[in-house]
Amino acid sequence: MTLLRIGRTLPPAAAPMYLKDIASGISGLFRGGQTVKKFEAELKAYYQIRHCFTVSSGKTALTLILQSLKLMHPERDEVLIPAFTCYSVPSAIIRAGLRIRLCDVDMNTFDFDYAQLSHILSGENNRLLCILPAHLFGLPVDVARIRTLIAGKDVVIVEDAAQAMGAESEGKKLGTLGDVGFFSLGRGKALSTVEGGIIITGRDDIAEQLGRTVNEMRDYGAFELVKLFLYAVALMLLLRPSLFWLPKSLPFLRLGETIFDPNFTMRKMSAFQAGLARGWENKLEFLKKKRSENVRGLLERLKSRQSWVDMGVLPDLIRLPLRVDSAIRRASILSSSEKLGLGIASTYPDSIDRIPELKTRFETINYPAAKKNAELLLTLPIHTYMTPNDLDRIAELLQNEECPT
Ligand SMILES: *Cc1c(COP(=O)(O)O)cnc(C)c1O
């Protein structure tokens, strides 16, 4: 694993950072609070929604949403999430002092397993505060169906669009389908400001409580801003395939690791980050277009393979998920990709019920599809640093792996 490979190395996901972004970040910082206000106004216009709050990360956004909902419904404390999702989600729930409830997922769409979801929702439960559908990799899930299932119940839909900024489904923007939605601007998401989170909601009651909760948070300190700046410079230089081998070889950066940790720092978004985002609508469109060209390019090259996607309308993905048929095959593909620097990655290490720190909280229910996804899923890179030659090499690797030697 700790083999040092110097040479073209693709990151699994990347939203590039340019010198002009950093320049905008610095000038944003000098303009101060109005830079953040402007970013929020642009977001409200883009999403055609009344309320928007910007913070330091997706998990901060989720924590603040949950804390606000808890204050609005003190008698309820359960948050229902997919058993296969990012570890930041349970981290935020624990941070907010709430309880995690799980539902298994559909192996192909990563949406809830609706048989299990109907069963969970049919039970008498007046502790359920909210339910969190997640558009993993940008693949849209059926929020309307959840809305139908909870009709008549006062359960809030919190849409986890962390990986789906700018993505659409049937002409509707993801993030606007629930009662309240959030996005991540972290490294490797659809758009990045080093770190960052966005909350949007059309519900005045939720926004009113959120406004108070967000206001109680601290701003980034001077030292933290310097760190953000240095991180932005590092991303600008080191995300490029010619240099990505360098950060990848530094274990303390823990690149690509998903960790469960409720003790993360929560801040309001800084003017530096809002400045980094300047011109984000155009950048997002450009990145989206390039990524979807790469998705199409890969699917064409892999045409022999059955994919989760029906080739009708392609979703707006940030990585291309692909399930293989055995854990051994996956390990072999990952190790070849590692040697060749092709950026193929695994996803979350395990289903949420099997996170060591959380294990004791769950009954002995199994979440087989979530577990299978954690074992068998790969993602292929589709970011803007990819060249047609990279697509060829990935397709070739997967084709070769198909016939075991
Ligand atoms: C990344 C992510 C989050 C958390 O966002 P951060 O900005 O990394 O805190 C939450 N949910 C999902 C599905 C994510 O992918």
Side-chain angles (χ1 to χ4, degrees), residues 323-368:
R323 203 176 57 239
V324 295
D325 50 25
S326 80
I328 294 172
R329 257 278 287 295
R330 187 176 80 157
S332 153
I333 292 173
L334 286 171
S335 107
S336 306
S337 166
E338 192 79 15
K339 284 187 201 109
L340 299 167
L342 291 179
I344 302 176
S346 55
T347 62
Y348 310 118
D350 218 329
S351 55
I352 300 296
D353 59 305
R354 291 157 60 93
I355 295 176
E357 295 90 330
L358 293 177
K359 254 182 177 161
T360 55
R361 291 171 192 259
F362 301 103
E363 298 145 52
T364 51
I365 306 167
N366 274 314
Y367 302 93

Side-chain angles (χ1 to χ4, degrees), residues 192-389:
S192 175
T193 56
V194 181
E195 58 184 30
I198 298 165
I199 304 171
I200 56 173
T201 181
R203 281 201 27 191
D204 297 336
D205 57 338
I206 295 178
E208 197 182 316
Q209 182 56 56
L210 261 171
R212 285 192 288 267
T213 315
V214 171
N215 246 326
E216 282 165 17
M217 264 196 318
R218 286 172 49 196
D219 288 311
Y220 279 87
F223 177 65
E224 290 170 329
L225 284 173
V226 171
K227 274 211 312 206
L228 272 183
F229 168 77
L230 293 176
Y231 213 131
V233 173
L235 287 178
M236 173 182 76
L237 298 172
L238 303 178
L239 272 181
R240 289 179 298 181
S242 56
L243 286 176
F244 189 67
W245 60 269
L246 178 62
K248 202 167 178 294
S249 63
L250 303 174
F252 60 86
L253 290 179
R254 307 179 87 172
L255 286 187
E257 268 184 57
T258 316
I259 48 168
F260 172 79
D261 176 19
N263 299 314
F264 48 87
T265 307
M266 309 218 302
R267 297 281 181 262
K268 293 178 192 164
M269 179 173 280
S270 68
F272 175 66
Q273 288 156 299
L276 284 178
R278 186 163 158 203
W280 63 275
E281 292 108 316
N282 290 334
K283 188 174 180 182
L284 191 57
E285 269 323 296
F286 166 78
L287 298 176
K288 244 170 80 171
K289 185 164 155 285
K290 287 287 179 193
R291 284 193 290 251
S292 74
E293 283 168 15
N294 287 335
V295 170
R296 227 172 271 119
L298 277 172
L299 290 177
E300 276 162 16
R301 285 169 174 79
L302 300 172
K303 54 183 166 296
S304 62
R305 307 179 67 89
Q306 184 55 46
S307 183
W308 44 265
V309 77
D310 92 55
M311 296 280 275
V313 188
L314 282 185
D316 301 307
L317 301 174
I318 58 169
R319 303 174 176 203
L320 174 60
L322 190 74
R323 203 176 57 239
V324 295
D325 50 25
S326 80
I328 294 172
R329 257 278 287 295
R330 187 176 80 157
S332 153
I333 292 173
L334 286 171
S335 107
S336 306
S337 166
E338 192 79 15
K339 284 187 201 109
L340 299 167
L342 291 179
I344 302 176
S346 55
T347 62
Y348 310 118
D350 218 329
S351 55
I352 300 296
D353 59 305
R354 291 157 60 93
I355 295 176
E357 295 90 330
L358 293 177
K359 254 182 177 161
T360 55
R361 291 171 192 259
F362 301 103
E363 298 145 52
T364 51
I365 306 167
N366 274 314
Y367 302 93
K371 190 162 166 285
K372 274 254 169 305
N373 272 337
E375 273 169 24
L376 300 179
L377 210 58
L378 289 171
T379 69
L380 312 183
I382 53 173
H383 50 74
T384 51
Y385 290 115
M386 310 280 300
T387 64
N389 185 45

Side-chain angles (χ1 to χ4, degrees), residues 56-62 84-89 92 132 134-137 160-164 182-189 194-197 264 318 348:
S56 57
S57 66
K59 45 193 171 290
T60 301
L62 177 56
F84 179 71
T85 192
C86 177
Y87 285 14
S88 297
V89 173
L132 241 96
H135 310 291
L136 291 191
F137 316 111
D160 181 347
Q163 302 188 22
F182 70 96
F183 307 99
S184 164
L185 296 170
R187 196 172 48 80
K189 304 294 167 120
V194 181
E195 58 184 30
F264 48 87
I318 58 169
Y348 310 118

